[in-house]
Amino acid sequence: MIDAIGPARLALIVAFSLLGLFFTFVSMTGVIRLPDVYSRAHTASQADTLGAGFTLAAVALAAGWQGVGFKSVLLVFFIFVTNPTAAHAIARAAFEAGIVPWTEGDERR
Amino acid sequence: MADAGEAAPKRGSVVVPVESTPTLRATVTHLVESAADGEFSSIHFVVFATWRRDDPDTADREAAVDRLLERVSTWAEADLADADDVDVDDVEVVTAVVGDDEYLFGADDYVRELAAYADEHGAETVVLDPEYTPVGNTTLLQPLEFALSSTDLAVREAPVTRPTRRERLRKEATGIRFVAIFGLSLAFYLALGDPLYPFDLVSGVASATIVAITLSRISLDADPSLPRTPIRLLRGAVYVPVLLLEILKSNLVVARVILDPRLPIDPTLNRVRVIVGSGLPITTLANSITLTPGTLTVRARDGNLYVHSLIPWAREGLFDGSLERWTRFVFYGREAARLPTPRERDDVGIFQGPDATEEYPGARSDGGTREEGDPVDGSVADADEEVTPE
């Protein structure tokens, strides 16, 4: 499967993996740093979209246009549809439960 | 379509939201019989519009609704003629289309329109067809009956028998929706498997059949149609890279705010009234907004999206409405995409923070736990509280 990966393609694969790592790291930092459920929902799902997106793009590049590569493209699509839906479900549940979003000056919760 | 007359509602009027269901005929008969028994003096059959008057390409749907209402009033007249103990002129049958001045997103919106109509025409009762789901809107999670319970209207369901499940399934199974869902599922299954391997073919056909039977009614609100669906898919393909670029751009901005402790966040809840249709268009727009970092769709209500924004930059982007224009482009074409930004239309509101323009809205559909007059922002917190979160 991984027989001949040229240097340019290898560089792209590494770059995409690092970008994926970077955005996942941002997402994690955000979940720890941000003050309330709404702002955490932002970063938990959204930064992660790109984190998973870039990682899967790296996988697709490494695997080539067959089997695994094609499936990872489908996975990206799946994540891009389900991620915002899940984020919306969390935010909506929080809103319906009467949680008022954190604003400047509030305590962290 | 007759308009509501000035008939004095001495025996009361009744509003009946209708759509084409297997039990509609029986519901009409039930209402006419109730009226003949002296319960109602006028019956209003109403249909919720799924379009706005100024949408392009709505002629088909308007014509379909007109046909439905015409059928309903013909049935009602026939039933009235059959009822012997009633004077035909004594019972007024009115048909109307409501809600074509804005898009209706959910049960809340339907109930508001219904209550306004009932109020206008002095109706105190709502009778529901047991099979009724507004405009075939399967995305409606909250039952209409439940939302109606918050109004003064008396609600009851017409006591008519539902046809058996089997009949309904068979009816839908012949539809183009079934074929579309079946084809899509099978293509997906075979893309994951091996189209040349007989076992995959057989199990693929079996699973696609099950998926199509169970989901064809849920997944599609309307039949796919020939020029429209492929054109929308093509325009969607144009939209995807635009959205990706937007996501990348916002992600970098938000990543910077998250990683740099010196950059403050300033989250607020905002309202933006969007001009896209219910169902798939509003879902596309809301998901696109959520996918773009810095903005998170919290609620779709009263034709508004409630969007939580992390930083003012993201809020300004939201109020510029580029995603709204793109969604309109995907679903209604280039013409429809030319419209003023939500800010220019004055269709925006900020619920929190120093720039707040409107009162914070409480949760409504579940009765909510918020009281009027709860603090809407952080004004009660210590003024010298740290500004940036650690």
Side-chain angles (χ1 to χ4, degrees), chain A residues 98 100, chain B residues 359-360 369-377 380:
Chain A
V100 180
Chain B
E359 190 102 350
Y360 182 86
T369 48
R370 284 181 52 80
E371 300 290 322
E372 290 293 319
D374 269 8
V376 291
D377 56 21
V380 286

Side-chain angles (χ1 to χ4, degrees), chain B residues 325-369:
Chain B
R325 281 195 296 281
W326 273 102
T327 307
R328 279 180 73 81
F329 165 73
V330 171
F331 286 95
Y332 313 115
R334 198 188 293 246
E335 289 289 295
R338 285 195 206 98
L339 83 168
T341 68
R343 195 191 284 107
E344 285 162 6
R345 301 197 305 262
D346 207 18
D347 276 348
V348 298
I350 304 173
F351 293 129
Q352 295 179 302
D355 303 327
T357 55
E358 284 167 33
E359 190 102 350
Y360 182 86
R364 189 171 62 190
S365 63
D366 62 350
T369 48

Side-chain angles (χ1 to χ4, degrees), chain B residues 31 260 273:
Chain B
L31 279 153
D260 190 341
R273 175 173 288 273

Side-chain angles (χ1 to χ4, degrees), chain A residues 1-18 54-70 72:
Chain A
M1 188 170 85
I2 309 177
D3 33 21
I5 291 182
R9 187 161 148 206
L10 186 67
L12 214 53
I13 293 171
V14 171
F16 277 2
S17 307
L18 287 178
F54 274 119
T55 311
L56 284 170
V59 171
L61 266 181
W65 187 247
Q66 37 104 4
V68 178
F70 178 66
S72 39

